[in-house]
Amino acid sequence: MTTIAPASAVALQPTTDAELEQLLAAAQTAAAPLAALRPAERARLLDAVADRLDAAADQLIPEAEQETHLPGARLRGELKRTTFQLRLFGEELRDGGYLDARIDHADAEWPMGAPRPDLRRVRVPVGPVVVFAASNFPFAFSVAGGDTASALAAGSPVLLKAHSGHPGLSRLTAEVVTSALREAGAPDGTFALIAGTAAGAAALRDPRVKAGAFTGSIPGGRALFDIANSRPEPIPFFGELGSNNPAFVTEAAASQRGAEIAQGFVGSFTMGAGQFCTKPGTLFVPAGYGMVEALRDAALPPAAPLLNERIQSGYTDVLANLQSNPRLTVLAQGAGPLADPPGPTLLLTTAADMLSEPHALQTECFGPTAVVITYDDESQLPELAETFEGQLTATVHGTDSCQVAELVEILARKAGRVVWNQWPTGVSVTYAQQHGGPYPATTAAGSTSVGTAAIERFLRPVAYQGFPQHLLPEALRGDNPLGVPRLVDGRREA
Amino acid sequence: MTTIAPASAVALQPTTDAELEQLLAAAQTAAAPLAALRPAERARLLDAVADRLDAAADQLIPEAEQETHLPGARLRGELKRTTFQLRLFGEELRDGGYLDARIDHADAEWPMGAPRPDLRRVRVPVGPVVVFAASNFPFAFSVAGGDTASALAAGSPVLLKAHSGHPGLSRLTAEVVTSALREAGAPDGTFALIAGTAAGAAALRDPRVKAGAFTGSIPGGRALFDIANSRPEPIPFFGELGSNNPAFVTEAAASQRGAEIAQGFVGSFTMGAGQFCTKPGTLFVPAGYGMVEALRDAALPPAAPLLNERIQSGYTDVLANLQSNPRLTVLAQGAGPLADPPGPTLLLTTAADMLSEPHALQTECFGPTAVVITYDDESQLPELAETFEGQLTATVHGTDSCQVAELVEILARKAGRVVWNQWPTGVSVTYAQQHGGPYPATTAAGSTSVGTAAIERFLRPVAYQGFPQHLLPEALRGDNPLGVPRLVDGRREA
C-alpha cells in the first residue's frame, strides 16, 4: 500500500486555473476508455477503492474526527456504509439491469403503419461529472461518497470539489481513491480532487463537463444549478438542497404510544447534532394527548459540537431568528442553546400559527432544533401538509385504523420518501431507496442520490439502428455476451 | 359520436388570463384522481382517444391538408402513427414495467452496517404538464401526439399549447380528445387546449405546472427552457430543439453502392419538403468516388410548399445566407430555390472548409436543403465528427469490413440515435426508440420524446418506508394485485 503523508503536512490549496485545465483535459481523455470498460471491469475498480478505503480506516478516522467533531464510532459506521455503497454499485454493474438494454428486431408488419427497423437501445455514460462534496457526511456524501460511486459506476470520470469543512480528510481520501484506481488499472484522469469555490464553479461551466451533483444548502445549490442551466450547453445538475421533513402524529398513535414517539423524535432530531438533511424539523401532535408534556419533559442529549464554525454560526443565526418569532415559544431546551456547542432546542406553536406563516415556521434550521405544532383535529392534517414545499421525507405516526390515506397521498406528492411509524434520519443504501424529492429538496425530483438507482443520473440512452453485430455494444448483441437483462420486442427476456 | 363544428366556424383565440386560470385550476384538481386511476384504467382512456381520432379522420385530414400543405396520404399515415402511439402507451400501462417497482424487505443483517427497513419504491406522476405542439407533424407531435400521450399515460394532466401553424386542426383534435376523455370517464381537467405565446409562457411559469415538453426551434425552446429553470421552483423541461443529423459515407460504401446512397440521401433530405427534425443536413462523401457527380445528377423532387409562411421565410433566409458563404457552392438545385414553393438545393464544400468554419456550415436549414462535403481520406472522419454539437441522429453508410468503430463511438457520444446503412428520417414508435440527444438536439439528453420510454419524463420515484399493506400503492403490495414486474430484494421477480 502506498504510504499516505499526514494531512497536516500539505494543506489543501485552491486549485489554480492551470491545474484545473490539466484535470479537465485528463477527465475528458479518460471518458472514452472508462466508458469502454466492461461493467464488471468497472465493478473491479469500485471494489478496489472500497478495499483500500477500508484498509486506510485507521488513518482516515482520526483525521475525520479532528476536522468534523463527529464521534469516532459514527465515523467508522459511515466509512463502512461508504465502502458498502461502492461495492453495491459494483454488484449493480455485474447485474447489468442499469443498462436498460432494449432490442426491437426489424418487423415489416409493425402496426404503426411503416416497417420497424432493427433498433437497440442502451444507456451510456454522460461524460465527465463535477461532484460537490457535503460537509455533514465526510465519507458517505464526500470524496468517495454516493455521487462519486454512482458516477464512476456509470463510467463517467469525476472531478470532486472538496468541502472546505474537512480539507485534510478530503486530501487523504482522494489519495486513497486515486492510488486504488491507478493500481487497479483505471484510465488516468478517472478521478481528481479540486478545491476552492471558484474552481468548482469554473469546472461546472467547462464544456467538457456533462453533469453536476451537489449536496448542501439551498442558496449554494441554487447558485450552482443556475450556472449549470445558463451554460451555452446546459447540463443536468443533481442538487440535494434542503428539507424540513415534517412528521405527523395521529390522535390514536399519541394515545397508544405518545411517550415512545416523543422519545423517538428527540433521538431523531438530535442525531448527529441535528446535522442530517433528513432531520425531522417539524412534529405535528394532537393537543390534549399529553405529547407536548412528554416532549417538554423528554431527556435532551447533551450539547454536541457542530461540524464547523460556519455551520455553528448559521445555526445560531437561524435559531435566534426563530426564537424571536412571537408565534414560537420554547418548549424544551438544553444548556447554552446559542453557545458553542449548542444544547438542543424544541420550539412550540399551533396549527393556526403555522397556517398563518408557514414559510417562516418551516425554515430549515440545520442543527439540533425542531418545532412542535399542536393541532386540534386530525381533519386539519391534510391542509397542514399542503403548506409544505418539496421535501426529502415526510413521516406519519399512526395506527392501522387511522384514516390517513389522504394525508399519505399529499405527502407522497410533496416528498421523495414517506415513512410510517419510523424516523426519517437513517437513509439505508438499498435497491428501493429514494433520496430525493421536489424542489427545494432537490433540483431533480426524478432522481435519487442514494440507492442503486442513483447511477441513472449519469447515464443517457443511445439507440443503434440497423447495426451489424460487430459494431454494437456488447449488451445489445444477439448472443448477449454480458448476460444482462433485456427487453426484447417489448418482452422481458427470461 | 359528438358532432364537431367545422373549424372555420370558430377561430382559435389566444387564451385569456382568466381562462388560463380556470384551466390551470382544473388541471390541478384533475391531478390526484388521474394519478389514482389504475394503469389499466388510464390505458382505457388512451384507447378511447385513439378510437375517436381514427373515427374522426375524415374531418381531421382535410383540415390538416388545408392548414399545413402536407399531402393527404402522408397525413393519414401520420394519424395512424398517432393513434398507434396512444395504444402503445396503453400497452405499456397494462404491462406496468414503467413503474420500476422495487421492494426491499426489512433485513436486520443488511451489510451496510445498520438494519434495512422495509422500503418500496414506485414511480408516480409529476403533476400537470404543459406541452408545446410542433408545426411539422400536426398529428404525431401536436395536440394528441407523443408528449400528450406519454404525459396522460404517466397520469399527468396536460395543458396543450396549440401551434399557430394549424389552429383549426388543433381545435378539432382537442375537441375529439376532450370529448373522448369525458365519455371514457376521465377526471375533468385531464386535458385542455390553450393558445397564444403569452398563455404558453404563463402556464409554464405557473406553480401548479410541474413539467414542460416542447418540439420546435433552438431559440424558442431555449427561451422556454430558461423560463422553466428560472422559476422559484424550477421544473424539468423536455425540449427537442434542432439537429443537423450528419451522415458519413465510407470509401468502400461509395465504391459498392454510391449511386444508391446518393438516391437514398436525396429522398431523405427532401422527405416532407425537408421539414423533419431528423433530416440529414450534411453528407460526407469521399472525393473521387463519383458520389459528387451522382448527387449532382440525381433527380430532385419537384418543389413542395412548406408548412406555413414563417417556415418559408425562415428557410429562404437561412438558405440565402448559406448560398452567400464563399465556402459553399451549389451542387444541384431545383427550380426556384428561394421561391414559394422552393425547389430543393444541394450545396457543396470540402472537409477542410468544414473544419475552418464548422458552426456556420452546420446551421440547421429547416427545409429541402443539405450540404455535401467531400473528404480525402477516411482517417479524417473522426475529426470531422468531433466538430458537431449534440444531435438527434448520426448516420454511417459503410460495409462490414470498414474500420469505423472510432467514428461510431464518437457519433454515439454526440447523438441519441446512430443509424447504419439506413436514413434517419423515419422515427419508428417502438420500445427501443431513442429520439433525443445532447444539447442543442434536446434540453434533456437523458430522455426520449418518441418510444415507450418517453413516459419516464413525467414520472418521479417515491419510496414508502415501513408502510402497512393497506396504505401502499397497489403496485407495491405483497400480493402484487396489478401483476407488475418488480425488483424484490435486488432480484427481478419471475
Side-chain angles (χ1 to χ4, degrees):
Chain A
M1 201 183 105
T2 314
T3 305
I4 301 169
S8 51
V10 186
L12 190 59
Q13 297 298 326
T15 305
T16 65
D17 290 353
E19 287 165 345
L20 183 63
E21 171 55 34
Q22 208 165 25
L23 297 174
L24 285 162
Q28 189 184 31
T29 302
L34 186 63
L37 291 179
R38 289 204 172 97
E41 293 169 330
R42 283 206 304 277
R44 213 171 38 77
L45 301 181
L46 297 178
D47 288 348
V49 172
D51 292 347
R52 290 289 305 275
L53 287 169
D54 279 339
D58 289 344
Q59 293 174 275
L60 297 171
I61 299 295
E63 184 74 18
E65 287 182 290
Q66 185 193 315
E67 289 190 329
T68 67
H69 313 135
L70 294 170
R74 137 79 196 265
L75 289 166
R76 282 193 188 270
E78 189 185 327
L79 179 57
K80 182 172 182 181
R81 169 202 180 92
T82 303
T83 58
F84 168 80
Q85 184 165 252
L86 285 156
R87 294 187 183 99
L88 189 66
F89 279 112
E91 279 183 37
E92 196 67 7
L93 291 175
R94 293 183 177 100
D95 173 78
Y98 79 98
L99 293 167
D100 191 20
R102 301 172 180 217
I103 296 178
D104 294 331
H105 293 102
D107 182 354
E109 305 301 321
W110 187 235
M112 187 186 82
R116 182 175 83 183
D118 185 282
L119 274 167
R120 296 164 189 243
R121 184 182 192 261
V122 72
R123 287 178 175 155
V124 301
V126 292
V129 171
V130 55
V131 172
F132 295 82
S135 67
N136 58 339
F137 286 87
F139 292 113
F141 289 82
S142 189
V143 175
D147 289 341
T148 296
S150 52
L152 292 179
S156 291
V158 171
L159 287 175
L160 191 294
K161 155 65 173 65
H163 196 282
S164 58
H166 46 274
L169 177 66
S170 298
R171 200 177 60 70
L172 279 181
T173 310
E175 285 178 11
V176 174
V177 172
T178 307
S179 62
L181 287 171
R182 188 187 313 116
E183 285 170 27
D188 284 346
T190 295
F191 177 88
L193 192 73
I194 62 175
T197 305
L204 192 61
R205 283 193 186 94
D206 192 275
R208 288 163 289 197
V209 166
K210 299 303 183 190
F214 168 90
T215 306
S217 72
I218 294 180
R222 181 65 191 245
L224 293 171
F225 173 83
D226 290 342
I227 287 175
N229 282 296
S230 59
R231 291 167 38 129
E233 177 201 357
I235 53 173
F237 183 78
F238 302 98
E240 187 214 309
L241 313 189
S243 189
N244 184 285
N245 306 299
F248 299 79
V249 183
T250 66
E251 294 167 359
S255 289
Q256 284 184 14
R257 46 194 165 86
E260 179 195 327
I261 291 170
Q263 198 178 343
F265 175 67
V266 169
S268 185
F269 94 82
T270 60
M271 184 178 288
Q275 301 166 109
F276 279 31
C277 48
T278 52
K279 178 196 78 174
T282 305
L283 184 73
F284 292 91
V285 300
Y289 282 75
M291 281 211 67
V292 170
E293 295 72 16
L295 288 159
R296 185 192 61 208
D297 301 338
L300 294 174
L306 300 190
L307 289 158
N308 55 57
E309 186 45 49
R310 215 171 69 183
I311 300 272
Q312 165 75 22
S313 67
Y315 171 70
T316 52
D317 285 355
V318 174
L319 176 56
N321 192 266
L322 286 171
Q323 290 197 153
S324 72
N325 188 317
R327 298 187 193 276
L328 291 166
T329 57
V330 172
L331 175 61
Q333 207 155 42
L338 296 172
D340 183 0
T345 292
L346 265 184
L347 301 170
L348 181 68
T349 187
T350 65
D353 276 335
M354 167 67 89
L355 290 172
S356 308
E357 203 182 356
H359 193 73
L361 300 192
Q362 290 167 11
T363 304
E364 186 180 11
C365 183
F366 197 77
T369 282
V371 176
V372 175
I373 298 177
T374 56
Y375 66 83
D376 295 321
D377 192 293
E378 261 175 37
S379 65
Q380 297 172 275
L381 294 184
E383 183 188 3
L384 289 162
E386 286 284 10
T387 65
F388 282 86
E389 296 183 285
Q391 301 291 326
L392 290 171
T393 74
T395 297
V396 179
H397 285 269
T399 71
D400 277 359
S401 56
C402 291
Q403 300 299 310
V404 290
E406 184 190 356
L407 176 62
V408 171
E409 184 274 318
I410 293 167
L411 296 178
R413 182 150 37 82
K414 300 277 181 181
R417 178 166 53 110
V418 287
V419 181
W420 177 259
N421 288 351
Q422 299 178 21
W423 297 102
T425 357
V427 185
S428 195
V429 179
T430 80
Y431 312 101
Q433 184 57 275
Q434 173 59 24
H435 190 59
Y439 191 89
T442 79
T443 59
S447 69
T448 181
S449 65
V450 177
T452 54
I455 193 174
E456 296 171 13
R457 298 174 296 169
F458 307 114
L459 297 164
R460 67 177 184 88
V462 174
Y464 291 77
Q465 179 175 328
F467 267 78
Q469 292 289 315
H470 72 281
L471 288 173
L472 283 171
E474 285 184 304
L476 298 180
R477 292 185 191 163
D479 57 350
N480 196 4
L482 300 179
V484 301
R486 310 197 289 194
L487 192 73
V488 177
D489 299 328
R491 286 183 293 274
R492 278 165 288 279
E493 270 184 336
Chain B
M1 204 184 102
T2 314
T3 305
I4 302 168
S8 51
V10 187
L12 190 59
Q13 297 298 325
T15 305
T16 66
D17 290 353
E19 287 165 346
L20 183 63
E21 171 55 35
Q22 208 166 24
L23 296 174
L24 285 162
Q28 189 183 31
T29 303
L34 186 63
L37 291 179
R38 289 204 171 97
E41 292 169 329
R42 283 206 304 277
R44 213 172 36 78
L45 300 182
L46 297 178
D47 288 348
V49 172
D51 292 347
R52 289 290 304 276
L53 286 169
D54 280 339
D58 289 344
Q59 293 174 275
L60 297 170
I61 299 295
E63 184 74 17
E65 286 182 290
Q66 185 193 316
E67 289 190 329
T68 67
H69 312 135
L70 293 170
R74 137 81 196 264
L75 289 165
R76 284 195 186 269
E78 189 185 327
L79 179 57
K80 181 171 183 181
R81 169 202 180 93
T82 303
T83 58
F84 168 79
Q85 184 165 252
L86 285 156
R87 294 188 184 99
L88 189 67
F89 279 112
E91 278 183 38
E92 196 68 6
L93 291 175
R94 292 183 177 99
D95 173 78
Y98 79 99
L99 292 166
D100 191 21
R102 301 171 179 218
I103 296 179
D104 294 331
H105 293 103
D107 181 355
E109 305 301 322
W110 187 234
M112 187 186 82
R116 182 175 82 183
D118 184 282
L119 274 167
R120 297 166 189 241
R121 183 181 193 261
V122 71
R123 287 178 175 155
V124 302
V126 292
V129 172
V130 55
V131 172
F132 295 82
S135 66
N136 58 338
F137 286 86
F139 292 112
F141 289 82
S142 188
V143 175
D147 289 341
T148 297
S150 52
L152 292 179
S156 292
V158 170
L159 287 175
L160 191 294
K161 154 68 173 62
H163 196 282
S164 58
H166 46 274
L169 177 66
S170 298
R171 199 177 60 70
L172 278 181
T173 310
E175 285 178 12
V176 173
V177 171
T178 308
S179 62
L181 288 171
R182 189 188 312 117
E183 285 170 28
D188 284 346
T190 295
F191 177 89
L193 192 73
I194 62 175
T197 306
L204 192 62
R205 283 193 186 93
D206 192 275
R208 288 163 289 197
V209 166
K210 299 303 182 189
F214 167 90
T215 307
S217 72
I218 294 180
R222 182 65 191 245
L224 293 171
F225 173 83
D226 290 343
I227 287 175
N229 282 296
S230 59
R231 292 167 36 131
E233 176 201 359
I235 53 173
F237 183 78
F238 303 98
E240 187 214 309
L241 313 188
S243 188
N244 184 285
N245 306 298
F248 300 78
V249 183
T250 66
E251 294 167 0
S255 289
Q256 284 184 15
R257 46 194 164 86
E260 179 195 327
I261 291 170
Q263 197 179 344
F265 175 66
V266 169
S268 185
F269 93 83
T270 60
M271 185 178 288
Q275 300 166 109
F276 279 31
C277 47
T278 52
K279 178 197 79 176
T282 304
L283 183 73
F284 291 91
V285 300
Y289 283 75
M291 281 211 67
V292 171
E293 295 72 16
L295 288 159
R296 185 192 61 207
D297 300 338
L300 294 175
L306 301 190
L307 289 158
N308 54 57
E309 186 45 48
R310 214 170 70 183
I311 300 273
Q312 165 74 23
S313 68
Y315 171 70
T316 52
D317 286 355
V318 174
L319 176 55
N321 192 265
L322 287 171
Q323 290 197 154
S324 72
N325 189 316
R327 297 187 194 276
L328 292 166
T329 57
V330 172
L331 175 61
Q333 207 155 41
L338 296 171
D340 184 0
T345 292
L346 265 184
L347 301 170
L348 181 68
T349 187
T350 65
D353 276 335
M354 166 67 89
L355 290 172
S356 308
E357 203 182 357
H359 193 73
L361 301 193
Q362 290 167 11
T363 305
E364 186 180 12
C365 183
F366 197 77
T369 282
V371 176
V372 175
I373 298 178
T374 56
Y375 67 84
D376 295 321
D377 192 294
E378 261 175 38
S379 65
Q380 296 172 275
L381 294 184
E383 183 188 3
L384 289 162
E386 286 285 10
T387 64
F388 283 86
E389 297 183 285
Q391 301 291 327
L392 290 171
T393 74
T395 297
V396 179
H397 285 268
T399 71
D400 277 0
S401 56
C402 291
Q403 300 299 310
V404 290
E406 184 191 357
L407 176 63
V408 171
E409 184 274 317
I410 293 166
L411 297 178
R413 181 150 38 81
K414 300 278 181 180
R417 178 166 53 110
V418 286
V419 180
W420 177 259
N421 288 351
Q422 299 178 21
W423 296 101
T425 358
V427 185
S428 195
V429 179
T430 80
Y431 312 101
Q433 185 56 276
Q434 173 58 24
H435 190 59
Y439 191 88
T442 78
T443 60
S447 68
T448 181
S449 64
V450 177
T452 55
I455 194 174
E456 296 171 13
R457 297 174 296 168
F458 307 114
L459 297 164
R460 67 178 184 86
V462 174
Y464 291 77
Q465 179 175 329
F467 267 78
Q469 292 289 315
H470 73 280
L471 287 173
L472 283 170
E474 285 184 304
L476 298 179
R477 292 184 191 164
D479 57 351
N480 196 5
L482 299 180
V484 301
R486 310 196 289 195
L487 192 74
V488 177
D489 299 328
R491 287 183 292 275
R492 278 165 288 278
E493 271 184 336

